[in-house]
Amino acid sequence: MLKRFNFAADSIPQSRGRSRVVVALALLATVGSVGVPAEASTQKHSDWRSYVMAPSSSEVSPVGVESRGDVTHAKSLVTGKNKGKATTLTTVAGGAPASVLLDFGKDIAGTPHIDVTALEGSPTLSLATSEARRYIRTPASTTVSAAAATGATQVSVTSTANLEVGNTVTFGTGAAAQTRTITAFDASARTLSFKPALTVDVPAQAATASSPGAPSSDESRGLAGVGGIDTLQPNGTGRISASYHPGFRFVLLTLTSPGSISLSAAGVDFQGVRATPADYKGWFLSSDDQLNKMWYSGAYTLQLNLKPAGLNGLADKRIYDGAKRDRSIWTGDLLVQGPTAISTLGDEGASYVKSSIDVLLATQRADGAIPGSPDFRKGSNPAGSPLFYSNNYSGYGARAAMDYYRYTGDRDYITKILPALRAELAYNDRSLTANHLVASNDRDYWQASQTGEVTKYSIDYYILLKDMAWLERQAGSPALADEHDAKAESIKQAVNATLWNPQLGAYGQSSDHLDVLVEDANALALQYGFVPAERRDSVLNALKTLWTPHGAIMGPGLVDPTGHTIEPFGNGMETAGRFTVNDTSGALDLMRRTWGQMVDKNDPLYTGAFWEFKNNDGGVNRATASLAHGWAASPTVQLTEQVLGVTPVNPGYASWNIKPHTGDLKWARGSVPTKYGDIAVNWQSKANNSKLTLHASTPRNTSGTIAVPVTGKSTVKINGRTVYTRGGCTAYKGTVADGYAQFTVPGGTYDITVSRG
């Protein structure tokens, strides 16, 4: 269980404030021999709770509305607008269907509903949802099947899909284009009527396009098993509900048949994890408003990906890749989602991670392979079916399980599944060549197979071996750990000897494509210590050539089969790599480029959550693009672990490391839940980094290291005692490396000052 002992006043829920303070003071009294309590910072900070994004109520109302056709008092559907006036939609035969577009301001999930106060005729409504406004309608795209002469008001077309009365239609292109208004169409006869009449002949096969198009859904029902357009046929007054829809910001209601309907309200019954401030067990705040928004957007993205027990006919909890698509557990995504869930929601988040791993391991093959997704394609079965997507994703599954243990310290569970993880490691070992590199024709996360001995796959297997070595020392066989470490070291040596390209100043994609620069492999090489110190600047500079204003591309000429070029999953690898080698300014720059757009409420794709991918222009290239996708939530984890600076070392934070990367920030503070109690950190950095102050409160029965940035002229004091001066450490087993002085300390409360010369 992740216990909570909060030391910072901002982290104490108001409803339990007094009891929590008593606990905190009692704990501080017990650690007086190893740390001295500090006065709370006098600097005024905004409340972290104001950034929490979940709706305040399970009943969610729209914040904006637009209308087309004959609609009166549309704004009454927005809370507080036109109070007492019903919204009335009227559609006449041959006329444009009346519709209202409801905007909920951000992604939500649940069951839309309307409250009907009056009916005329037998009205039929369609209800479509979308994460992005641009995909709530699909324009028609067809051709004229037979030539039409000047004066015609009807043409034959090859398809009537996505036509809607009242929309405009354009025949032909360029100077010959003629734009008209659709008055009718016949799907059986494939005819399209319009006004006014043609003024120029239209030849057969002339391109025909409409605007803005007919209502459409951006959901992929075959993958997700839920969603799609609902047809509502009210037969009286009262509430009528649609089906469950996951991950949407917009709802389009269209009166598709002649008649009239009056509504007193429209809203959504939120179904999912609606985490209020009281549900957050960890939090983060800094002097940078944009970074703060990222942290909470990542947390909210994760929450939208959580499937509570019982939802969609499934008894267990699951962490899905995206709110609307694929709504499947994916091992690669869990590498980001798992730490995000636990560091933000504590025990509740951990329960989702554990349950998802159980689903994964239940479908493990006899040869040890773990599926990339254990529950893919739910169109015909809510439980889906396993997809053995790639060798790399199989390894990701084992790593996700080890991360669960690293963050929770759940030894009983990891001991139970250790044989399964060993079997998976043996499966992955089959791809190792005699050259100590990996060749597997894997698709990996950007879905393009790579040939030869592949740099990223080799580094990924190195990571898996190192994680297994760590696990074996914690809960298994030290002898096996030594074997894994030795094999990992041979991979590192082979990558540096074979896959480094001096002309690129970086690692090439593979032995077959050594001249291709890739983001992911070079980012991981930085993060996991492959890059010798003398090569770091070269790799950092090479990676920067891949940057655009909207993030880093995968590599020159590299495109996902669906057409996108910027992967937040891969960009998260790069920011992690840059933090690791202390390129904090570069890490924050790329973070702001990639995710800054996503937290901008003025961006047309804003959902309050993080997106699956982007194109070079910052957009997405298809309606089913997931705009609440968990693998993009790395800023939440990295702001906690790299900027605030708190990372687990031994299971459950039995030992920990605190190493803040301050960059251009003036201050940061936050709290991390652990098995032993909260770790609370609060640091402030003065102009030009002339002085750094850090307050850390850590639980009893733990130990760890605290590292602070220094120069040869700095002076470091811990609780008033000088522990670093003139370039050397004088206490707490202090060491100096890469511009940081690091001290080993028992659990307790520490005030540290760094005065820089």
Side-chain angles (χ1 to χ4, degrees):
M1 181 177 181
L2 303 179
K3 300 178 182 178
R4 303 189 67 211
F5 299 119
N6 291 331
F7 300 94
D10 279 0
S11 64
I12 301 174
Q14 296 301 310
S15 61
R16 297 184 294 165
R18 182 176 178 181
S19 63
R20 299 302 292 265
V21 170
V22 170
V23 171
L25 291 175
L27 179 58
L28 288 175
T30 67
V31 298
S33 61
V34 294
V36 178
E39 294 295 326
S41 170
T42 57
Q43 182 174 349
K44 298 297 183 182
H45 304 310
S46 58
D47 190 339
W48 64 266
R49 298 167 185 82
S50 65
Y51 288 95
V52 171
M53 298 194 64
S56 58
S57 168
S58 60
E59 178 68 21
V60 187
S61 299
V63 297
V65 63
E66 300 174 22
S67 64
R68 295 182 73 241
D70 187 353
V71 179
T72 60
H73 305 307
K75 290 185 178 180
S76 295
L77 297 177
V78 179
T79 302
K81 303 286 186 180
N82 294 336
K83 188 174 182 180
K85 295 181 179 179
T87 301
T88 301
L89 291 75
T90 303
T91 297
V92 298
S99 65
V100 288
L101 177 66
L102 306 176
D103 180 3
F104 290 85
K106 59 190 171 189
D107 257 28
I108 54 175
T111 304
H113 56 75
I114 55 174
D115 292 342
V116 180
T117 59
L119 298 170
E120 288 186 14
S122 300
T124 298
L125 289 163
S126 75
L127 184 149
T129 65
S130 179
E131 289 185 305
R133 189 186 188 284
R134 69 179 62 171
Y135 295 125
I136 198 69
R137 290 179 176 273
T138 299
S141 180
T142 185
T143 58
V144 174
S145 58
T150 300
T153 57
Q154 185 181 83
V155 298
S156 297
V157 291
T158 56
S159 171
T160 59
N162 298 316
L163 294 175
E164 184 178 74
V165 172
N167 285 357
T168 61
V169 60
T170 300
F171 304 106
T173 59
Q178 299 179 76
T179 298
R180 301 293 184 264
T181 300
I182 300 173
T183 58
F185 61 92
D186 187 321
S188 298
R190 295 182 184 175
T191 57
L192 168 60
S193 301
F194 52 88
K195 65 180 183 181
L198 296 175
T199 55
V200 178
D201 293 350
V202 173
Q205 305 306 313
T208 302
S210 72
S211 180
S216 61
S217 170
D218 67 353
E219 297 161 323
S220 181
R221 189 175 181 86
L223 286 173
V226 294
I229 296 179
D230 291 311
T231 298
L232 308 180
Q233 294 180 306
N235 53 20
T237 59
R239 174 161 293 187
I240 181 170
S241 296
S243 62
Y244 171 79
H245 290 261
F248 62 92
R249 172 179 168 175
F250 296 95
V251 171
L252 178 61
L253 286 166
T254 305
L255 182 56
T256 57
S257 64
S260 177
I261 185 168
S262 296
L263 310 175
S264 61
V268 172
D269 176 18
F270 190 95
Q271 292 174 279
V273 173
R274 189 175 58 82
T276 66
D279 298 308
Y280 276 71
K281 309 308 178 188
W283 57 275
F284 172 85
L285 200 64
S286 77
S287 57
D288 188 310
D289 181 64
Q290 187 182 65
L291 296 181
N292 297 339
K293 290 177 181 177
M294 290 182 199
W295 196 94
Y296 292 92
S297 287
Y300 187 56
T301 302
L302 183 279
Q303 293 155 27
L304 290 168
N305 295 168
L306 299 180
K307 185 205 74 64
L311 186 65
N312 301 152
L314 297 169
D316 49 21
K317 299 176 178 180
R318 302 189 182 194
I319 304 182
Y320 287 151
D321 65 327
K324 73 176 184 190
R325 203 220 79 231
D326 306 331
R327 289 188 67 75
S328 299
I329 300 168
W330 277 96
T331 56
D333 303 60
L334 285 177
L335 293 181
V336 178
Q337 293 170 314
T340 303
I342 297 168
S343 63
T344 59
L345 298 179
D347 287 338
E348 181 65 7
S351 71
Y352 277 89
V353 180
K354 183 177 181 179
S355 180
S356 298
I357 294 168
D358 282 339
V359 178
L360 272 176
L361 296 181
T363 54
Q364 185 176 19
R365 288 193 321 219
D367 64 359
I370 293 174
S373 172
D375 55 349
F376 194 59
R377 291 195 182 280
K378 297 175 218 34
S380 58
N381 174 13
S385 57
L387 173 64
F388 290 89
Y389 175 75
S390 79
N391 299 333
N392 241 27
Y393 267 66
S394 184
Y396 291 159
R399 288 170 55 190
M402 286 183 277
D403 277 348
Y404 168 78
Y405 179 49
R406 192 187 313 274
Y407 284 86
T408 66
D410 187 347
R411 186 180 178 87
D412 289 344
Y413 182 72
I414 203 69
T415 302
K416 181 180 73 172
I417 67 172
L418 181 54
L421 304 186
R422 287 171 174 166
E424 197 290 322
L425 183 67
Y427 169 78
N428 268 68
D429 194 60
R430 300 177 186 186
S431 298
L432 197 65
T433 70
N435 296 325
H436 307 291
L437 297 168
V438 172
S440 69
N441 285 327
D442 219 17
R443 289 183 287 175
D444 205 30
Y445 69 97
W446 53 280
Q447 305 177 66
S449 61
Q450 301 177 48
T451 61
E453 293 169 324
V454 181
T455 309
K456 180 179 182 294
Y457 303 164
S458 300
I459 297 176
D460 278 330
Y461 189 50
Y462 167 92
I463 300 167
L464 178 59
L465 284 164
K466 295 297 287 186
D467 281 354
M468 282 296 292
W470 173 84
L471 176 58
E472 293 287 0
R473 288 195 176 91
Q474 296 289 338
S477 165
L480 282 177
D482 290 343
E483 291 178 16
H484 298 333
D485 277 338
K487 185 175 289 186
E489 184 59 31
S490 69
I491 292 174
K492 179 185 288 189
Q493 291 177 8
V495 167
N496 277 309
T498 306
L499 298 173
W500 174 261
N501 184 332
Q503 285 71 44
L504 290 179
Y507 299 93
Q509 181 181 15
S510 69
S511 58
D512 283 358
H513 301 286
L514 199 58
D515 60 337
V516 177
L517 176 67
V518 286
E519 179 194 28
D520 50 21
N522 285 281
L524 293 176
L526 288 169
Q527 184 179 358
Y528 288 93
F530 277 65
V531 187
E534 66 272 14
R535 289 180 175 176
R536 286 180 186 170
D537 286 345
S538 176
V539 173
L540 290 169
N541 291 335
L543 283 171
K544 214 161 192 177
T545 67
L546 304 179
W547 287 14
T548 77
H550 305 289
I553 63 173
M554 293 180 285
L558 301 180
V559 180
D560 179 281
T562 63
H564 59 267
T565 55
I566 297 173
E567 295 270 10
F569 188 46
N571 280 201
M573 297 175 197
E574 182 172 345
T575 52
R578 289 182 179 273
F579 277 126
T580 300
V581 298
N582 300 325
D583 179 24
T584 304
S585 61
L588 294 178
D589 188 350
L590 181 57
M591 192 175 285
R592 289 163 176 146
R593 288 169 184 257
T594 305
W595 288 274
Q597 175 189 2
M598 301 185 203
V599 298
D600 180 0
K601 289 186 176 181
N602 294 318
D603 191 277
L605 294 175
Y606 177 81
T607 61
F610 287 149
W611 314 340
E612 180 184 11
F613 53 70
K614 293 199 280 187
N615 298 330
N616 284 17
D617 63 2
V620 297
N621 61 344
R622 67 178 192 264
T624 55
S626 176
L627 301 180
H629 210 78
W631 78 354
S634 57
T636 303
V637 177
Q638 291 179 22
L639 289 172
T640 292
E641 298 192 350
Q642 302 297 337
V643 173
L644 190 64
V646 183
T647 55
V649 177
N650 282 333
Y653 294 83
S655 64
W656 34 262
N657 183 44
I658 298 174
K659 181 183 178 182
H661 291 86
T662 59
D664 59 2
L665 303 180
K666 295 179 180 179
W667 56 267
R669 66 190 317 185
S671 184
V672 179
T674 85
K675 179 179 181 178
Y676 303 94
D678 284 3
I679 296 174
V681 173
N682 176 358
W683 60 256
Q684 298 177 28
S685 182
K686 290 193 173 180
N688 301 319
N689 293 323
S690 60
K691 186 175 183 180
L692 174 73
T693 60
L694 184 148
H695 173 77
S697 296
T698 60
R700 287 187 304 167
N701 303 320
T702 68
S703 62
T705 59
I706 300 177
V708 289
V710 295
T711 68
K713 297 181 180 180
S714 299
T715 298
V716 179
K717 293 183 178 182
I718 297 181
N719 296 338
R721 175 187 177 186
T722 299
V723 295
Y724 172 92
T725 185
R726 298 179 181 177
C729 299
T730 60
Y732 294 113
K733 301 178 182 178
T735 59
V736 181
D738 289 334
Y740 276 79
Q742 177 174 288
F743 306 94
T744 301
V745 296
T749 303
Y750 298 93
D751 284 297
I752 301 175
T753 60
V754 182
S755 301
R756 303 180 188 176

